[in-house]
Amino acid sequence: MPRQVYFYDQPERFVAGTVGQPGARAFYLQASARGRITSVLLEKTQVAALAERIEEVLDEALRRSGGDAAIPAAAPKDLLDTAPLDLPLEQEFRVGTMALAWDSVDSCLVVEAQALVEDEEEDGEEAVFTDDDTGPDMLRVRLSGAMARVFAKRALDLVAAGRKPCPFCNLPLDPEGHLCPRANGYRR
């Protein structure tokens, strides 16, 4: 069966969002433009990794351009998107592999999320992205630097919002361990 590629070039909206309560949330990426909506399911750790990596790629592209690239240093407040996911929320696929690249010719970030393949679950091997008609379904989104910063900020805030706060410093508890300044005798 031919692969379905859901392509958005500078969508009206590209966000990470959740359905459910903390501890039992489902995480989605959602792109929309001109009445078309594509939603894909992924893990919380994938959302966090994607947002962190977007920040790194944008920072590196900005550094390499000598500060001339059309990439803001932080998410522009006037572009922040706090609205819930668009409805209807219909999952196209579960994300397995993701890829990012900065297109310096068009000055945009390219995000690709490829559907999970049964072999990926069992083998742990990463899939290879190709432009042929075969392979798993894919969501491909091209974003301006500003829109990419806004996506990353919302995604990082979303992941942190589900974490319980530390009883000493009120910072979100990190799943990999929390070094609390107050609990260890440090003061801010």
Side-chain angles (χ1 to χ4, degrees):
M1 185 163 134
R3 153 194 352 224
Q4 175 71 38
V5 177
Y6 304 92
F7 180 66
Y8 291 83
D9 191 359
Q10 304 303 325
E12 295 163 7
R13 189 168 192 230
F14 181 61
V15 296
T18 62
V19 173
Q21 296 298 315
R25 296 184 296 173
F27 286 78
Y28 291 89
L29 294 181
Q30 188 175 76
S32 59
R34 293 183 226 84
R36 183 172 65 115
I37 301 170
T38 303
S39 303
V40 296
L41 182 68
L42 70 168
E43 298 294 325
K44 177 180 177 179
T45 55
Q46 288 174 300
V47 172
L50 177 62
E52 290 167 3
R53 187 69 183 123
I54 284 173
E55 290 285 355
E56 291 169 5
V57 168
L58 293 176
D59 290 345
E60 180 64 15
L62 190 57
R63 186 190 66 75
R64 286 186 180 193
S65 75
D68 293 335
I71 303 170
K77 292 184 193 250
D78 60 325
L79 296 179
L80 290 177
D81 182 346
T82 58
L85 294 170
D86 291 326
L87 299 176
L89 185 61
E90 297 174 5
Q91 170 190 325
E92 300 299 337
F93 59 83
R94 176 180 284 277
V95 174
T97 305
M98 294 183 293
L100 290 175
W102 177 255
D103 180 342
S104 58
V105 173
D106 292 334
S107 296
C108 67
L109 183 75
V110 180
V111 178
E112 293 184 347
Q114 188 169 335
L116 181 67
V117 178
E118 295 300 322
D119 292 346
E120 280 184 52
E121 285 184 39
E122 296 168 12
D123 299 341
E125 292 181 22
E126 292 196 18
V128 177
F129 289 98
T130 62
D131 283 331
D132 63 15
D133 289 340
T134 63
D137 291 350
M138 179 188 305
L139 171 63
R140 180 179 290 153
V141 182
R142 296 169 54 85
L143 304 168
S144 68
M147 193 165 190
R149 286 278 190 211
V150 167
F151 170 86
K153 172 151 183 30
R154 175 180 168 140
L156 290 170
D157 289 349
L158 184 70
V159 170
R163 296 183 188 154
K164 294 180 181 176
C166 172
F168 297 103
C169 68
N170 210 31
L171 291 173
L173 292 172
D174 190 330
E176 283 114 33
H178 177 70
L179 182 60
C180 176
R182 290 193 180 152
N184 292 314
Y186 299 110
R187 297 278 182 229
R188 288 185 186 243

